[in-house]
Amino acid sequence: MSPSLPRRRFLSAGLGSACLLLGSSGGCSASYQEPIKFATNPWPGYDPLYVAREKGYFRDVGIEVALVDLTSIGASRRAFERGQVDGCGATLVEILLAADQSGLRPQIAAVVDYSNGADVLIAAGSVKSLADLRGRRVAIEPGTLHIQLLALALASVQLTVRDVALVPMPQNAMPAAFADGLVAAAVCFPPESNRLLEKGGKVVFHSGQVPGQVVDTLVFDGGFVARRGNEVQAFVSAYYRAMAFMESNPDEAHAIMARRENMSVDELRQTLAGLHYVGRKEQPELLAPGGPVERSLNQLQGAMMALAQLRQSRTLKDFLIARELIAATGISA
């Protein structure tokens, strides 16, 4: 299957029958507990969830999980905003937009990775330099971190997003638009970035030039956390168990992840070189007051407010109820 084709597969985890005790109920209910519905988009940072599903780790911690595999990060956010899923993989952009546009209270359960070169701005051969993008058409997926990376790239040559012509489109449409000459550049990440490079594109800016500023997270709605917080803890625990399996059994884990991404294992490993997985012990430092995530959030929020993409500002503290739950179980220790 071509990675540029829309993919909307609804995947369910192996479902266990164990009943998880919830703090709000004080005991095991005889009624059926809906599975946790969690949306993801193609991105290796979320792939340990698919390793957890295949290895039975969700079942082992007594939870039922349905992974909803959507075509883009924007589609995941919209499903989250509409209440079609309980949580989703999200960048800081999705967290801010969901809070601003839907009235939800997104809660960060874990920072899973930060991009270290995987998110890229790719330009056609006719573009001689970043500054040469002035007045040119640049593809971005609206409501995603694309605007953050593009703003950072343009700022490095004293330009702003108003100096280019933004062309909104889903990421999976970018390879065709680029090949047809409809855009001079595009902000994207694998697997689509690999397709653009195959079509003669060149990287003119990447997230490795701004380390630690582009993060991915596991996010749940605050209402869901209040009702089923113990299951959120178990969900994150299964994710970290899958990360540990990936470290000790990379061949098997990478094969699972490559199938999920519609990539070869070699292509997946090239992609992994462009991101840094965030382990349990790194969570407190990343999420601490004044830490990297807070600095990144404040910087991004300022840019989005300037572009009238947000109606009100928020602080990182608004998104950290889940961190307190996780700390209570020792997951971040």
Side-chain angles (χ1 to χ4, degrees), residues 125-173:
S126 60
V127 177
K128 304 305 179 186
S129 66
L130 258 176
D132 196 31
L133 283 177
R134 183 189 293 270
R136 309 287 284 271
R137 292 167 58 85
V138 180
I140 64 167
E141 181 168 349
T144 72
L145 62 82
H146 290 180
I147 194 65
Q148 179 186 15
L149 191 73
L150 180 60
L152 290 167
L154 295 174
S156 71
V157 290
Q158 290 73 54
L159 297 178
T160 73
V161 292
R162 295 183 177 87
D163 292 315
V164 300
L166 299 179
V167 182
M169 67 177 66
Q171 177 163 293
N172 65 345

Side-chain angles (χ1 to χ4, degrees), residues 55 83 148 169 181 204 219 226 232 305 323 325 327:
K55 301 303 294 183
Q148 179 186 15
M169 67 177 66
V204 292
V219 169
V232 172
M305 293 286 286
R323 183 183 65 167
L325 288 173

Side-chain angles (χ1 to χ4, degrees), residues 264-293:
S264 69
V265 171
D266 286 344
E267 190 175 20
L268 173 77
R269 288 173 174 166
Q270 291 171 15
T271 302
L272 294 181
L275 65 88
H276 170 73
Y277 282 104
V278 176
R280 297 182 184 186
K281 294 182 179 180
E282 296 174 84
Q283 298 294 319
E285 181 179 353
L286 281 174
L287 295 172
V293 174

Side-chain angles (χ1 to χ4, degrees), residues 47 50-51 54-57 242 245-259 265 268-269:
D47 286 350
Y50 293 82
V51 175
E54 185 150 331
K55 301 303 294 183
Y57 296 158
F245 179 84
M246 183 172 64
E247 292 175 5
S248 59
N249 300 273
D251 290 344
E252 183 178 351
H254 290 170
I256 296 169
M257 295 161 68
R259 288 195 299 272
V265 171
L268 173 77
R269 288 173 174 166

Side-chain angles (χ1 to χ4, degrees), residues 1-11 38-43 46 50 67-79 82 84-85 88-89 94 141-142 144 146 169-175 188-193 260-262:
M1 177 187 292
S2 169
S4 65
L5 295 176
R7 299 187 303 142
R8 291 187 178 272
R9 293 172 289 134
F10 291 82
L11 307 175
F38 195 90
T40 70
N41 62 283
W43 177 244
Y46 307 128
Y50 293 82
L67 297 178
V68 181
D69 188 5
L70 298 179
T71 187
S72 70
I73 197 165
S76 291
R77 174 176 61 83
R78 289 187 289 274
R82 294 166 182 163
Q84 296 167 334
V85 295
C88 66
E94 282 72 50
E141 181 168 349
T144 72
H146 290 180
M169 67 177 66
Q171 177 163 293
N172 65 345
M174 291 179 184
C188 53
F189 52 79
E192 280 77 15
S193 59
R260 181 273 203 266
E261 296 291 335
N262 285 334

Side-chain angles (χ1 to χ4, degrees), residues 69-139:
D69 188 5
L70 298 179
T71 187
S72 70
I73 197 165
S76 291
R77 174 176 61 83
R78 289 187 289 274
F80 181 60
E81 290 177 343
R82 294 166 182 163
Q84 296 167 334
V85 295
D86 306 304
C88 66
T91 71
L92 296 179
V93 174
E94 282 72 50
I95 292 172
L96 288 168
L97 287 174
D100 197 71
Q101 297 178 5
S102 70
L104 294 176
R105 293 185 298 113
Q107 305 296 304
I108 298 172
V111 177
V112 296
D113 69 70
Y114 60 79
S115 181
N116 192 30
D119 291 282
V120 293
L121 173 59
I122 295 179
S126 60
V127 177
K128 304 305 179 186
S129 66
L130 258 176
D132 196 31
L133 283 177
R134 183 189 293 270
R136 309 287 284 271
R137 292 167 58 85
V138 180

